[in-house]
Amino acid sequence: MSTSTVLYDHPGPRARVRNAVLSVVFGVGLVALLWWVYAKFDQAGQWEGSLWQPFTEASTWTQFIWPGLRQTLFAAATGMVLSLAFGILFAVGRLSDHWWVRVPAGAIVEFFRAVPLLLMIFFIFYGVPFLIQGPVSAFWSVVVGLTLYNGSVLAEAFRAGIRSIPAGQAEAAYAVGMRKSQVMQLILVPQAARAMLPVIVSQLVVLLKDTALGYIVAFPELLQRGVNDLSANRGNVVAAAIVVALIYIAINSLVTALANWLDRRTRRRGFRVPKQATAPRDDAQVTEPQG
């Protein structure tokens, strides 16, 4: 039985009716809100064709949208990989039996969770050069800031996921002779990653959107190039913001769809423990060939 089945109670007849009514009310309210926004924009003349004409030109996409999108995706992909590695490493560190590993790991995670990401990016770009006596690029200022903040949040997610796994699984692994590193690598971390997948995906979506904070150090990401630079040169700021918002929604939807696909795939296949990590059962009997 899966965890989702245990934690979710199927609604009864009255609950289904109530949910249907609430869905209809919410849908009507959402349509009314969208119509009100459309009407207000129409009164201000924001739907005129001349304001949207730049987006029908190839140069708008090749000079502004695509370069910014490419930088956003590159920074987000780099930050995602580093954040996941940071999260797993410090989650394991916080669960260490040695206080001289557990305490510093906890202090680092709590510190970077508490510092605002915008302030962190600002400090890395303007403050770190005084410490290393050299410049820090806008790209690495954004990526390092994203890694430290989101990695700290993911470390807590992984730690919660590992602690949620029944202790009997680790005890059984120790009983067959597995070391703690093997238990973490082969049993606890894979199950924690699958259990916390919704939280992990949500945080990675946040990371992708937070690349827009790179504007403070003039990082040429999608918001900077697609809204600020484009509206300053040839477009309307409202139209540019709407187009960029739709691009962000599409990318985040793809990330969520990919995560759902990975979740379904891992649930079908499951996690397999390598043969060398298992031990024979005590009650196993060896039969000799008769001949």
Side-chain angles (χ1 to χ4, degrees), residues 18-80:
R18 182 173 63 251
N19 293 340
V21 172
L22 292 176
S23 298
V24 171
V25 171
F26 178 78
V28 172
L30 180 60
V31 171
L33 177 62
L34 293 177
W35 174 256
W36 179 77
V37 172
Y38 174 83
K40 289 297 182 181
F41 276 23
D42 186 54
Q43 293 178 5
Q46 291 295 331
W47 304 122
E48 295 180 2
S50 59
L51 300 179
W52 296 84
Q53 183 179 359
F55 295 99
T56 62
E57 302 173 0
S59 59
T60 299
W61 296 89
T62 57
Q63 296 179 14
F64 296 96
I65 303 295
W66 171 242
L69 178 60
R70 183 175 55 195
Q71 290 294 326
T72 291
L73 295 178
F74 186 43
T78 307
M80 287 178 183

Side-chain angles (χ1 to χ4, degrees), residues 13 17 19-22 24 41 44 88 93 109 113 124 130 135 137 159 165 176 185 202 225-227 257 265:
V17 172
N19 293 340
V21 172
L22 292 176
V24 171
F41 276 23
I88 295 174
V109 169
R113 285 177 62 202
I124 293 172
F130 290 100
S137 66
R159 187 168 72 101
I165 299 173
V176 299
Q185 179 183 358
S202 298
R225 296 290 294 156
V227 177
R265 184 178 178 84

Side-chain angles (χ1 to χ4, degrees), residues 30-220:
L30 180 60
V31 171
L33 177 62
L34 293 177
W35 174 256
W36 179 77
V37 172
Y38 174 83
K40 289 297 182 181
F41 276 23
D42 186 54
Q43 293 178 5
Q46 291 295 331
W47 304 122
E48 295 180 2
S50 59
L51 300 179
W52 296 84
Q53 183 179 359
F55 295 99
T56 62
E57 302 173 0
S59 59
T60 299
W61 296 89
T62 57
Q63 296 179 14
F64 296 96
I65 303 295
W66 171 242
L69 178 60
R70 183 175 55 195
Q71 290 294 326
T72 291
L73 295 178
F74 186 43
T78 307
M80 287 178 183
V81 173
L82 296 179
S83 296
L84 289 171
F86 184 99
I88 295 174
L89 178 64
F90 279 86
V92 174
R94 296 203 68 177
L95 295 172
S96 174
D97 296 330
H98 305 288
W99 68 267
W100 48 270
V101 175
R102 183 176 62 255
V103 173
I108 291 174
V109 169
E110 293 300 330
F111 175 79
F112 287 116
R113 285 177 62 202
V115 177
L117 177 56
L118 189 62
L119 181 61
M120 199 178 306
I121 295 174
F122 187 86
F123 175 78
I124 293 172
F125 186 77
Y126 292 104
V128 171
F130 290 100
L131 302 177
I132 64 175
Q133 298 299 314
V136 178
S137 66
F139 172 80
W140 284 111
S141 299
V142 174
V143 169
V144 173
L146 293 172
T147 299
L148 295 177
Y149 176 75
N150 293 280
S152 299
V153 176
L154 289 175
E156 287 299 286
F158 281 119
R159 187 168 72 101
I162 292 173
R163 284 189 168 180
S164 68
I165 299 173
Q169 296 196 27
E171 294 173 357
Y174 291 133
V176 299
M178 296 179 67
R179 299 187 301 272
K180 185 172 182 178
S181 59
Q182 293 177 312
V183 174
M184 282 288 183
Q185 179 183 358
L186 300 175
I187 297 177
L188 299 182
V189 171
Q191 292 188 74
R194 187 173 67 176
M196 304 303 293
L197 187 60
V199 178
I200 295 171
V201 173
S202 298
Q203 196 60 39
L204 294 181
V205 170
V206 170
L207 185 152
L208 176 63
K209 294 187 294 184
D210 282 347
T211 56
L213 297 177
Y215 79 91
I216 194 174
V217 292
F219 178 59

Side-chain angles (χ1 to χ4, degrees), residues 69 72-73 208 222 246-256:
L69 178 60
T72 291
L73 295 178
L208 176 63
L222 182 58
L246 293 176
I247 294 175
Y248 273 113
I249 292 173
I251 297 173
N252 292 333
S253 299
L254 291 176
V255 173
T256 303

